[in-house]
């Protein structure tokens, strides 16, 4: 099939017309239709690239490189000439490049340094259904740029499966173009029983199924595995199967050299089994595949709250991703897909993957937006708005790292307007999480880049030092690795070097309680961090380094997790930002009074409470806080509430941010305003209770608020939560002790509350919205007010005899619900109209209740 015969060409004329008319198009076309390779060529053929290039965004590096190679072949140029690619740590472009495939972070960084996108004529967002965070943000920025400085910029959003209507609404004005593509039926098979991959490895199960299916089928295999390690083990397991002797087994993942990647997708005479990550799910079309064997797993980026970073974890894929994978078997002929899970398990999987904006840490993206001049990131036109707490957490971390704002600006509401600092701009040069960018900058200044790069790699995966081992293993570990008192990282580094030198041999690792597979995963990450550092001009050579310098780099990257031991007898600690936790018992850093931790884990207990466990600790010196963060280290006079004395006291404090490092009680009298504010906080948070502030007081506040709502002509100001705090502060003003505050009388409380209303408003409150209502029989019934809904009058059924009709308040403007109570004061009916109650409900109620309460009057 020639490129012109691909299904996507049915949209060529409509695409050109829409781009010239509106500049924005959504293209919905299945995998294999040719959209990724042909639409950039359509733009080139129709003159859209005469004044600039088309930048094609791909979610994955491997796909960007391979698609660029394919398009270069079709155009007839050398890769890097008219067609090229740019990914992290690698670039093949030139001044003549007109079609440039890039990964999403590359474009967003370009936008942060050049808001006009000079030299770019069109942007193509490929595989947009995967909803990568950088894709979302880059599209939003592209729309901003197009609407302001670049109305000539063309935008194409492409996907195999997508909520096209929702996206078109976001892009409006925009046209949706749909290609049905060509596909053949694919039969789906499931395993008859659930397989526990911890007991039977996933690669062995995949190899077994390939061997079973091979004699029954023709065509090539595509086996999906979550990562490079699993792919390697699968290739080995497939090679051990005699049934597959005539097959060529080839791996396909992003860590392979380019020639190995090319070999996996090239045509061969022999039958092929390609073992791939999810890069082959949608990004690449591999000719000849008719059988898919799907492990149903993928490495997905998720925010790890324990480490405060994004980590790659193996997760079950969604049903939508499974369908995408199965479809790869039906591109050229009828196909077959074997899923390594049961049909019942399939129904329990998520329908779609969560968009990354809802599952990733936003610190790196927020820093990039700030560099683009967007200080108020909450007001940014997000395709899907992130959780406000996630934004707040990201901005707080960036401020702690020194990437945002000045120290005296920390009090800005929510940090929303803090600008990027020069340190933040330097951090942005590193395509890594801001924590590690800050650590590498500090390491460069202190001459210890190599060990800090290794520490960064060690934080990416799970701790490979096993716990709860026999004493003999602990002894062997201590004999080989030595004792440690400065940093848990130092022990991990020695353990990794031991495992690396032992070539990750199982026997050698087992002897020291090292998880060999976990240690093996550190190596490639270490090399990646070193490459990034070297590319930015940092010295990565081996040299003798000062341990203090390395520990200061940890402090630079995790300053938001500085902890102080509360006492020497326990492992309890207090952290910055008002948190508390317990240092892990296996930590070697149990004597240091001051430390920084790289992992903060919240662990549920049997009693429903949560314990906060602190691990990966590094001992630090107080002087280092002043050295690295001088604006956050200060002496201050503090006002605190002493729970034993039940009063407010003053003390002299030495603080790092909000963490009190040392405090001494001062003999100074606490200022009345500060004492009142502190007591108010204690009251609002429930640690001090004002006895007389009871339900009657709360009902009075509700009456005022409902009067403001129902009778706007009275111009009553409603009492908000902030106003409540102000009124409590008035009650606390002049009081230093909790005893004096808690014993406030009802008269004192009501005197302060009544001052909220004018004399005219106070005079009509009981008239418009009374506490009790006098009924026609002379009895008084209590009325209860709520934040929503009508007031409710409650009365026992005997108290309502002889009363008909409906009730209203406020001179007939506010209808009242009537709650009819049994003799035991339990509600039996809620009605708007007593007349209908007596007629319709009372006969049934009377029959039942008169038997239970025969001594009461029943008419």
């Amino acid at each position: 099939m020639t490129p012109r015969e691909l299904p996507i060409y049915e949209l060529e004329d409509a695409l050109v017309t829409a781009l010239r008319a509106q500049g924005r198009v959504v293209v919905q076309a299945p995998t294999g239709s040719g959209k990724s390779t042909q639409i950039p060529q359509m733009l080139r053929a129709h003159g859209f690239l005469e004044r600039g290039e088309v930048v094609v965004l791909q979610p994955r590096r491997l796909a960007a490189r391979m698609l660029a190679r394919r398009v270069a072949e079709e155009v007839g140029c050398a890769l890097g000439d008219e067609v090229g690619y740019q990914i992290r740590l690698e670039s093949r472009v030139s001044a003549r490049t007109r079609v440039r495939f890039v990964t999403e972070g590359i474009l967003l960084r370009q936008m942060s340094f050049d808001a006009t996108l000079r030299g770019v004529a069109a942007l193509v967002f490929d595989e947009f259904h995967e909803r990568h965070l950088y894709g979302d943000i880059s599209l939003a920025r592209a729309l901003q740029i197009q609407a302001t400085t670049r109305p000539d910029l063309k935008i194409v959003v492409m996907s195999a499966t997508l909520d096209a209507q929702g996206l078109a609404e976001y892009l409006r004005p925009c046209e949706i173009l749909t290609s049905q593509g060509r596909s053949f039926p694919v039969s789906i098979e499931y395993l008859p029983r659930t397989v526990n991959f911890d007991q039977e490895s996933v690669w062995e199960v995949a190899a077994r199924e390939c061997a079973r299916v091979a004699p029954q089928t023709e065509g090539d295999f595509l086996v999906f595995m979550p990562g490079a390690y699993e792919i390697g083990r699968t290739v080995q397991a497939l090679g051990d199967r005699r049934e597959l002797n005539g097959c060529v087994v080839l791996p396909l993942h992003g860590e392979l050299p380019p020639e190995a990647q090319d070999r996996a997708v090239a045509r061969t005479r022999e039958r092929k089994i390609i073992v791939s990550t999810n890069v082959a799910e949608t990004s690449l079309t591999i000719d000849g595949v008719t059988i898919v064997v799907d492990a149903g797993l993928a490495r997905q980026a998720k925010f790890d709250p324990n480490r405060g970073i994004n980590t790659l974890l193996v997760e079950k894929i969604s049903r939508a991703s499974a369908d995408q994978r199965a479809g790869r078997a039906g591109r050229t002929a009828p196909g077959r897909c074997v899923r390594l899970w049961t049909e019942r398990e399939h129904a329990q999987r998520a329908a779609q993957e969560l968009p990354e904006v809802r599952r990733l840490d936003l610190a790196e993206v927020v820093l990039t937006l700030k560099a683009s001049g967007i200080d108020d990131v909450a007001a940014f036109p997000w395709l899907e708005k992130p959780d406000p707490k996630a934004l707040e957490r990201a901005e707080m971390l960036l401020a702690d790292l020194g990437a945002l704002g000045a120290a005296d600006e920390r009090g800005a509401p929510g940090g929303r307007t803090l600008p990027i600092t020069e340190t933040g701009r330097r951090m942005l040069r590193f395509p890594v999480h801001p924590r590690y960018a800050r650590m590498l900058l500090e390491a460069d200044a202190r001459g210890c880049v190599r060990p800090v790069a290794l520490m960064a790699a060690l934080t990416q995966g799970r701790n490979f030092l096993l716990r709860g081992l026999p004493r003999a293993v602990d002894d062997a570990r201590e004999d080989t690795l030595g004792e440690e008192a400065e940093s848990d990282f130092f022990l991990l580094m020695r353990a990794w070097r031991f495992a690396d030198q032992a070539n990750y041999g199982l026997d050698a690792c087992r002897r020291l309680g090292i998880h060999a597979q976990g240690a093996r995963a550190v190596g490639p990450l270490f090399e990646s961090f070193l490459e990034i550092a070297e590319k930015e001009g940092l010295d990565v050579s081996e040299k003798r380094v000062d341990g203090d310098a390395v520990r200061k780099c940890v402090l630079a990257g995790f300053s938001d997790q500085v902890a102080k031991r509360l006492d020497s007898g326990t492992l309890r600690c207090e952290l910055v930002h008002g948190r508390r936790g317990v240092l892990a018992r296996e930590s070697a850093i149990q004597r240091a009074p001051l430390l920084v931790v790289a992992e903060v884990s919240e662990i549920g207990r049997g009693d429903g409470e949560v314990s906060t466990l602190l691990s990966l600790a590094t001992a630090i010196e107080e002087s280092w806080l002043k050295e690295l963060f001088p604006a956050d280290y200060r002496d201050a006079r503090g006002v605190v509430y002493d729970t034993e004395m039940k009063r407010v006291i003053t003390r002299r404090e030495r603080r790092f941010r909000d963490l009190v490092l040392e405090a001494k009680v001062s003999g100074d009298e606490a200022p009345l305003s500060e004492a009142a504010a502190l007591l108010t906080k204690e009251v609002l948070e429930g640690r001090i209770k004002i006895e007389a502030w009871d339900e009657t007081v709360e009902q009075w506040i509700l009456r005022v608020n409902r009067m403001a709502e129902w009778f706007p002509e009275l111009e009553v100001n409603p009492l908000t939560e902030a106003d409540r705090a102000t009124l409590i502060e008035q009650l606390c003003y002049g009081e230093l002790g909790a005893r004096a505050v808690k014993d406030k009388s009802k008269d004192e409380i009501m005197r302060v509350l009544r001052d909220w209303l004018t004399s005219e408003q106070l005079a009509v409150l009981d008239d418009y919205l009374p506490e009790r209502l006098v009924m026609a029989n002379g009895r008084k019934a209590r009325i209860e007010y709520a934040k929503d809904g009508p007031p409710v009058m409650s009365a026992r059924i005997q108290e309502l005899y002889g009363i008909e009709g409906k009730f209203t308040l406020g001179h007939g403007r506010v209808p009242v619900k009537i709650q009819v109570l049994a003799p035991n004061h339990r509600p039996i009916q809620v009605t708007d109209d007593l007349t209908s109650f007596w007629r319709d409900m009372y006969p049934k109620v009377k029959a039942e209740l008169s038997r239970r309460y025969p001594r009461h009057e029943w008419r």
Side-chain angles (χ1 to χ4, degrees), residues 810-828:
H811 305 287
R813 285 166 61 175
V814 180
V816 177
K817 287 274 188 186
I818 305 156
Q819 187 177 61
V820 183
L821 307 178
N824 63 353
H825 291 275
R826 290 186 177 178
I828 56 173

Side-chain angles (χ1 to χ4, degrees), residues 401 438-439 442 551-559 628-629:
L401 295 175
R438 182 69 179 87
M439 287 173 67
E442 196 67 33
R551 287 192 284 153
K552 288 177 182 178
C553 295
V554 180
L555 172 59
F558 290 88
S559 67
L628 269 68
F629 302 95

